Amino acid sequence: MSHTTPDDATTTRTALVVVAHPRRDSLTAHIAELAAQRLTAAGYRIDLLDLHAENFDPRMNAADLPEWGNREKTYSPEVENHMRRILAADVIVAVFPVYWVQVPAILKGWIDRVWNYGFAYGRSKPRLAGKRMLWLGLAGAADDDGVVDIMQQSLGMQLNDGIAYYCGLAESSVGLLPGAEEKRQRVDADGNLLLDEALTGSIRDAHYAALEDRAQRFVDDFLARDRVPA
Ligand SMILES: Cc1cc2nc3c(=O)[nH]c(=O)nc-3n(C[C@H](O)[C@H](O)[C@H](O)COP(=O)(O)O)c2cc1C
């Protein structure tokens, strides 16, 4: 279906929005929907990849193990299909809950199996070269918990430096969204988990409105950077 959009220059662009959460009514899914709306308004066609809904199997298997002597290997039909979706995308936006300061296993498995040798890396000009990527990670830790800085650095190293740079992406950034839990939580210097009462009423509404705003700003800034002439 074709779109009527405000920006003719971007009408044919595609955004692959990857969601990694088992519940469709999760905050993560909601933020993914907001991101998709923002991208649509900017003229992108959305390819929504809900990894759980599509029953993506994150376990590496023999068919998808790289063959180091064969960059032209044909991978499993499932993985080849995901590769086609990535190739068709100009930008990729992954939305996920932070699990143990990392992406959840289903998203990690998508990277392991699909961003494979000969496709995402292992070529002088990788197939993903020039694409741009935004990682939106929701985290339970409160904004002022010291662990948020550590999480930002760690995710930045893994996702921007470890994966995107290695695959020749033109840009990769991590938008971290702390405060995703209803009960404000942080860990003190002795390792005690401190849990506040659950947010309620207008305080709760304001808290989540601020988180949504931050998410939309990450998407808007990501889009704005694309328009800056090189
Ligand atoms: C297995 C697991 C590991 C988690 N690890 C972290 C973590 O390392 N740091 C953090 O801030 N929150 C962590 N959380 C909290 C989640 O990030 C948080 O529940 C989620 O972002 C809330 O979004 P949702 O309502 O869409 O699930 C973890 C949650 C689970 C279930």
Side-chain angles (χ1 to χ4, degrees):
M1 200 172 84
S2 65
H3 281 270
T4 307
T5 66
D7 182 353
D8 284 339
T10 57
T11 46
T12 58
R13 292 187 167 196
T14 296
L16 180 63
V17 177
V18 185
V19 191
H21 199 289
R23 284 198 345 254
R24 287 185 195 198
D25 64 349
S26 63
L27 183 60
T28 301
H30 173 65
I31 294 295
E33 176 59 33
L34 287 182
Q37 284 171 11
R38 230 50 183 188
L39 290 156
T40 302
Y44 283 84
R45 183 186 78 83
I46 305 297
D47 179 6
L48 183 68
L49 168 53
D50 180 333
L51 291 168
H52 284 274
E54 296 197 19
N55 274 325
F56 179 76
D57 185 349
R59 291 171 301 177
M60 177 61 88
N61 58 41
D64 293 323
L65 274 178
E67 282 171 19
W68 302 117
N70 178 15
R71 291 190 313 197
E72 311 303 330
K73 169 174 169 166
T74 302
Y75 291 95
S76 66
E78 182 186 20
V79 158
E80 292 281 338
N81 183 41
H82 280 275
M83 288 173 172
R84 279 191 289 276
R85 290 171 77 171
I86 292 172
L87 283 179
D90 299 282
V91 300
I92 306 167
V93 178
V95 191
F96 59 93
V98 174
Y99 284 176
W100 297 114
V101 198
Q102 298 163 54
V103 296
I106 197 164
L107 181 54
K108 177 62 165 46
W110 184 68
I111 304 279
D112 290 349
R113 283 186 67 203
V114 182
W115 294 43
N116 216 320
Y117 176 65
F119 172 68
Y121 66 97
R123 292 181 178 277
S124 53
K125 184 165 169 48
R127 299 261 153 87
L128 306 192
K131 296 187 190 297
R132 301 172 62 245
M133 179 138 190
L134 174 64
W135 310 81
L136 287 178
L138 289 84
D143 304 43
D144 59 355
D145 189 323
V147 79
V148 171
D149 275 348
I150 295 166
M151 240 186 301
Q152 181 78 53
Q153 283 173 35
S154 171
L155 287 168
M157 275 189 321
Q158 292 171 43
L159 305 175
N160 298 333
D161 306 331
I163 298 174
Y165 176 78
Y166 197 70
C167 296
L169 267 76
E171 185 201 333
S172 170
S173 58
V174 177
L176 188 58
L177 298 163
E181 290 287 339
E182 295 206 335
K183 290 186 180 174
R184 209 181 113 80
Q185 56 178 257
R186 62 208 175 282
V187 176
D188 71 11
D190 298 322
N192 301 306
L193 177 65
L194 308 176
L195 277 179
D196 288 357
E197 291 294 309
L199 299 172
T200 54
S202 59
I203 294 176
R204 182 183 186 281
D205 293 347
H207 176 82
Y208 284 109
L211 191 144
E212 285 180 4
D213 275 357
R214 220 177 313 146
Q216 288 175 338
R217 235 172 311 139
F218 282 132
V219 177
D220 290 347
D221 290 349
F222 175 71
L223 289 167
R225 283 196 294 278
D226 195 29
R227 294 193 196 103
V228 177

